[in-house]
Amino acid sequence: MIIIGAGPAGTAAAITFARAGHRPILIERTSRPTDKVCGDFLSADTIQRAQALGVDPAALGAAPIRQVRLIHGDRMAETTLPFLAMGLSRRVLDAALLHQAERAGADIRLGQTVRHLTRNGDRWTIKAGEHAEITARSVFQATGKHDLRDLPRRHTGRDAIGMKMYFALPPESAKRLDGAVELTLFPGGYAGMQQVEEGRTVLCIAVQRAAFQLFGGSWASLIAAIAHRSRRFAAILPGARALLPRPLAVAGIPYGYRAGSSCPDELYRLGDQAAVIPSLTGDGIAIALHSGTAAAETWLSGATAPTYQQTLGRTLAGQMRLAGILHRACLSGPIQSAVVRAAAVFPGALRRAATHTRLPSRASLAQP
Ligand SMILES: Cc1cc2nc3c(=O)[nH]c(=O)nc-3n(C[C@H](O)[C@H](O)[C@H](O)COP(=O)(O)OP(=O)(O)OC[C@H]3O[C@@H](n4cnc5c(N)ncnc54)[C@H](O)[C@@H]3O)c2cc1C
């Protein structure tokens, strides 16, 4: 079997196959794990799934997160998370998962970009750059935010942009953020900030394209627009040192996308290729790990790709629906203030939202 993409979804599938005695081929376009547009928030579920795959975020230096703060203008709602979360950069997490896949016996092929995936009879043909074609009975597509030209995700709402930067904060600002994730709402988007390993801070923003253009169409103008609307946000960045040469960005995010259950024979869609949950939930990595493990377990049990895709769809339905409602409310200028006011009065509602936008506990696809 061939797995395309070595993010959490692809590596989870590779580890599961390799542990079962197979030697899956895992093809990744980058030559080593890199930083990715992601808020780096690991829910308790993500942490447990990573541990089950041999990766312990705490041992990698992940920063503990116990509090969540929701901010709009000068108003703030704060509560304790219903679980212990962590902040860990994707470069470190993805590298550790890849290492586990290699250790378990997967055939890792880095620096190869799959350009074509075509079905010939009962086999798939994969073409990666100048490398020789490979054929396989089953393909696990885990290319994340990037579609393959031959198999694009069809979704109408592709108007979101994601951007990210790491900072070294001055001690006072770092102290304010210690142990908390802060989500600042602004018209057309939200900005998440928290600490990751080695005392670094990540700022990750999801914004609608129209709002991004309205605010000036650049990272600097977007930051200025958010700071203009929130004194708390404005106070944290002065004196901060950017740790990447430039912000990372991704456009055309299809929030709310879910792959249908009718898929080509023996094609398993994993992670963001199966479902794109709104970022404010911080549960995309959990879904990626779950889908990778579940797809491999489904294949190993002798069941088919549509069975996997149907069961995954059912598993994710409730959390995707609620996440979509919250995402729309948090993007809409007129509603944002009411959302934060309600969360300040009823902090339990914020905790419930954090709980119910997670994968159902013990979600397993092995028994359809
Ligand atoms: C703004 C934003 C903030 C987010 N914040 C969080 C958060 O805080 N917590 C959380 O849990 N989730 C978050 N998410 C979601 C999370 O980032 C994704 O759900 C998760 O990365 C999906 O994992 P994946 O393995 O499917 O894809 P990815 O992690 O994107 O990995 C896909 C891999 O495939 C490779 N690839 C792509 N195309 C090819 C090709 N043609 N050939 C070979 N290899 C290829 C890529 O290089 C990449 O390594 C956020 C998303 C966004 C957009």
Side-chain angles (χ1 to χ4, degrees):
M1 69 288 302
I2 291 183
I3 303 160
I4 310 172
T11 47
I15 294 167
T16 309
F17 276 127
R19 283 181 176 174
H22 293 268
R23 187 161 164 76
I25 296 175
L26 176 58
I27 304 177
E28 164 60 42
R29 68 184 182 132
T30 59
S31 51
R32 65 184 122 68
T34 55
D35 290 314
K36 285 180 175 159
V37 177
C38 179
D40 299 349
F41 176 88
L42 309 188
S43 65
D45 187 31
T46 306
I47 295 166
Q48 281 163 18
R49 288 175 192 278
Q51 286 168 336
L53 293 165
V55 171
D56 181 8
L60 295 169
I65 299 173
R66 296 184 174 82
Q67 297 289 115
V68 55
R69 299 186 190 123
L70 195 59
I71 297 155
H72 178 256
D74 289 330
R75 199 178 292 280
M76 183 173 87
E78 176 171 16
T79 190
T80 305
L81 279 167
F83 45 78
L84 174 67
M86 288 186 180
L88 184 69
S89 71
R90 288 295 304 279
R91 187 160 38 84
V92 171
L93 177 69
D94 290 11
L97 287 164
L98 188 63
H99 177 65
Q100 287 302 323
E102 195 164 24
R103 260 187 70 184
D107 175 355
I108 315 274
R109 303 188 182 179
L110 300 179
Q112 300 190 13
T113 303
V114 172
R115 302 259 179 236
H116 294 291
L117 179 61
T118 44
R119 185 85 173 150
N120 300 311
D122 64 351
R123 294 186 76 78
W124 288 99
T125 302
I126 292 110
K127 182 84 182 101
E130 297 309 309
H131 300 273
E133 285 183 355
I134 322 173
T135 66
R137 181 167 76 83
S138 309
V139 166
F140 297 77
Q141 189 192 348
T143 53
K145 295 158 187 76
H146 306 273
D147 288 351
L148 292 177
R149 206 179 320 146
D150 299 325
L151 291 164
R153 289 170 294 179
R154 303 211 183 279
H155 189 68
T156 47
R158 279 179 169 269
D159 60 350
I161 295 173
M163 299 187 91
K164 167 181 187 166
M165 174 56 84
Y166 288 107
F167 291 100
L169 293 185
E172 270 313 300
S173 302
K175 202 167 142 208
R176 194 191 88 181
L177 213 53
D178 192 24
V181 55
E182 293 195 355
L183 196 64
T184 304
L185 311 184
F186 59 92
Y190 42 80
M193 213 189 288
Q194 64 178 43
Q195 290 184 330
V196 294
E197 75 280 359
E198 295 174 351
R200 296 184 303 152
T201 296
V202 57
L203 169 61
C204 189
I205 303 176
V207 57
Q208 286 173 317
R209 181 183 289 277
F212 180 65
Q213 296 300 351
L214 198 71
F215 294 142
S218 73
W219 171 256
S221 62
L222 179 60
I223 297 293
I226 304 169
H228 178 67
R229 285 166 175 78
S230 164
R231 271 188 285 188
R232 190 173 172 85
F233 183 88
I236 208 158
L237 286 181
R241 187 163 46 87
L243 298 175
L244 300 176
R246 67 194 67 83
L248 306 177
V250 62
I253 306 168
Y255 283 128
Y257 166 80
R258 275 199 282 159
S261 54
S262 63
C263 49
D265 283 347
E266 287 306 305
L267 178 77
Y268 296 74
R269 295 186 202 255
L270 319 182
D272 279 2
Q273 288 291 319
V276 182
I277 193 160
S279 306
L280 84 172
T281 63
D283 215 41
I285 304 171
I287 293 175
L289 294 174
H290 169 65
S291 64
T293 309
E297 285 174 349
T298 305
W299 190 96
L300 290 165
S301 75
T304 60
T307 305
Y308 152 76
Q309 222 76 58
Q310 269 163 25
T311 316
L312 182 68
R314 277 200 300 274
T315 305
L316 302 182
Q319 99 178 105
M320 289 289 287
R321 207 172 303 121
L322 178 59
I325 293 168
L326 294 174
H327 175 73
R328 283 189 292 278
C330 285
L331 286 184
S332 161
I335 303 178
Q336 288 173 333
S337 164
V339 169
V340 178
R341 206 171 302 162
V345 177
F346 306 108
L350 200 52
R351 274 197 296 278
R352 271 199 295 283
T355 302
H356 294 299
T357 50
R358 307 284 128 211
L359 267 169
S361 55
R362 292 184 220 295
S364 167
L365 295 166
Q367 300 90 32

